[in-house]
Amino acid sequence: MTSSLSRRHFLKAGAAVAGLMAVPGAMAHSMTAGCGTTGTRPYGIQMYMVRDMLAKDFKGTVKKLAAAGFKQLELFGVGGSVSAEGAPLFGLSVDDMAAMLKEYKLSVPSVHINSDLEDIDYIREMGEKLDIDYFIEPMAGEFLSFADGKVTLNQPSTVEEVKAIAARLNKRGQTMKDLGFKFAYHNHNFEFDKVDGQVIFDIMMENTDPELVKIELDLGWVAAAGHDPVAMLKKYEGRVIGCHMKDYNDSLPLTDDPRFIIPEMARIGTPGDGKSDFPAIVKLLNKQNVKYRYVEVDVTETPFEDAVRGLCHLSALG
């Protein structure tokens, strides 16, 4: 798969097209507080979902998320973010963040990291002061290229290219282990394309050390790739340490709107708004004791409301 769009539009990927995400009746009311449903498991939010809110009022947004019932936060953009300048802490110090976590009884079990691990001291400080368990790579840099003002998604053309990605992930996992942390990889849909008749994601996982490279499975992107999230969880049982809890509705139209770097983003929504079997997903996650579960919708005009609605839906499932 190869997709190209202007860098100017890519930098605006956080903008939304409301109609593409909506399911009839889903937004019948605005959710500005918790749903009043107490589930048996804590749920978190991938902070990329509320990136614009964070940029305007980081402390206020964290307070609002805690009041809504979220227990875990997953930060993003360590090493820089092309769509949210200032991430991960938008001007706050690590000490400020640690104090907020204590005040609002929140945890940060994992963080998405985009850099080449250049600032080891900052990574160590963040990991230790915020009690981070996993640093997660959200997309292999080899899948992206920047040229002539455009961002291009590139599918590897040979198995050897994929194995080279796997070798680098092993090294990153070892670096994190040496620092006292753990490492995982987060998928999109394009890792489930094939090269030389083999699924890219399978090649990546078969050629990485399962003790050094765990999986944060993005359920929405799994569905977007045409796979059953439940089946994928079973396939990689024991290696999946967390999930991005996204729904997917293939009845919604795709779009060539350049604000969506990947067209299938137009079909991704909050849990309960699509066709994924979340009762079965939650039951299996409980059975497998997958601890980290983050609500996320990549592009939406109503991120907080969507996040809370997703939290309510999941909490009701147990």
Side-chain angles (χ1 to χ4, degrees):
M1 177 190 75
T2 300
S3 175
S4 181
L5 64 162
S6 72
R7 183 177 178 84
R8 176 174 61 86
H9 283 126
F10 179 75
L11 295 175
K12 295 180 179 179
V17 178
L20 293 171
M21 293 293 182
V23 172
M27 290 302 294
H29 62 284
S30 175
M31 312 262 321
T32 57
C35 55
T37 301
T38 302
T40 59
R41 302 276 178 148
Y43 282 94
I45 180 172
Q46 163 48 251
M47 299 288 267
Y48 185 76
M49 185 173 181
V50 290
R51 55 196 175 276
D52 293 335
M53 295 174 63
L54 294 172
K56 295 176 182 177
D57 182 5
F58 193 100
K59 293 182 179 180
T61 302
V62 170
K63 180 178 180 179
K64 195 174 181 180
L65 292 170
F70 287 101
K71 300 300 182 183
Q72 302 169 341
L73 309 178
E74 184 176 56
L75 301 178
F76 74 98
V78 174
S81 173
V82 296
S83 56
E85 185 177 352
L89 298 181
F90 295 89
L92 273 70
S93 70
V94 176
D95 287 332
D96 289 336
M97 186 66 189
M100 274 198 297
L101 295 177
K102 183 177 181 180
E103 180 180 359
Y104 298 124
K105 297 180 174 60
L106 295 166
S107 65
V108 176
S110 57
V111 174
H112 278 200
I113 184 165
N114 301 325
S115 74
D116 292 326
L117 306 183
E118 295 176 355
D119 196 343
I120 294 295
D121 289 339
Y122 181 71
I123 290 170
R124 183 184 289 110
E125 179 191 18
M126 175 176 282
E128 291 176 352
K129 290 184 176 180
L130 303 186
D131 197 23
I132 294 167
D133 196 11
Y134 279 90
F135 284 88
I136 298 172
E137 184 165 321
M139 179 191 298
E142 292 88 344
F143 288 106
L144 287 177
S145 63
F146 295 82
D148 300 324
K150 294 182 178 180
V151 181
T152 302
L153 289 172
N154 299 309
Q155 177 181 302
S157 58
T158 67
V159 171
E160 290 307 312
E161 289 180 19
V162 181
K163 288 182 177 180
I165 295 173
R168 182 187 58 75
L169 294 177
N170 274 328
K171 290 181 180 179
R172 176 164 279 194
Q174 184 63 56
T175 298
M176 286 302 176
K177 181 179 180 180
D178 293 343
L179 289 171
F181 308 113
K182 300 171 187 175
F183 177 69
Y185 185 80
H186 167 278
N187 66 281
H188 288 75
N189 60 332
F190 43 80
E191 289 98 340
F192 295 94
D193 289 341
K194 292 184 177 180
V195 58
D196 294 341
Q198 300 181 56
V199 176
I200 292 172
F201 192 74
D202 290 343
I203 301 171
M204 292 172 65
M205 293 303 108
E206 288 166 4
N207 289 277
T208 47
D209 185 336
E211 296 304 314
L212 294 177
V213 183
K214 299 295 185 180
I215 299 171
E216 181 180 63
L217 200 65
D218 189 305
L219 304 178
W221 286 120
V222 167
H227 295 278
D228 176 14
V230 171
M232 197 61 61
L233 284 167
K234 290 180 179 178
K235 179 174 182 177
Y236 285 105
E237 181 174 1
R239 198 164 178 180
V240 175
I241 55 87
C243 291
H244 278 194
M245 310 295 281
K246 298 176 181 174
D247 216 332
Y248 184 75
N249 187 350
D250 60 7
S251 297
L252 295 175
L254 294 175
T255 177
D256 58 2
D257 191 307
R259 289 175 289 186
F260 295 86
I261 183 173
I262 305 172
E264 286 79 8
M265 278 183 179
R267 292 175 168 175
I268 285 178
T270 198
D273 281 1
K275 298 181 179 180
S276 294
D277 187 355
F278 272 96
I281 288 170
V282 169
K283 182 178 180 180
L284 184 57
L285 292 177
N286 291 345
K287 180 181 178 182
Q288 295 180 350
N289 195 30
V290 176
K291 296 196 304 183
Y292 308 135
R293 311 170 189 193
Y294 303 110
V295 176
E296 185 192 22
V297 179
D298 301 84
V299 181
T300 170
E301 282 186 342
T302 53
F304 180 75
E305 291 81 0
D306 286 1
V308 175
R309 193 172 67 256
L311 173 64
C312 293
H313 182 74
L314 293 170
S315 295
L317 298 177

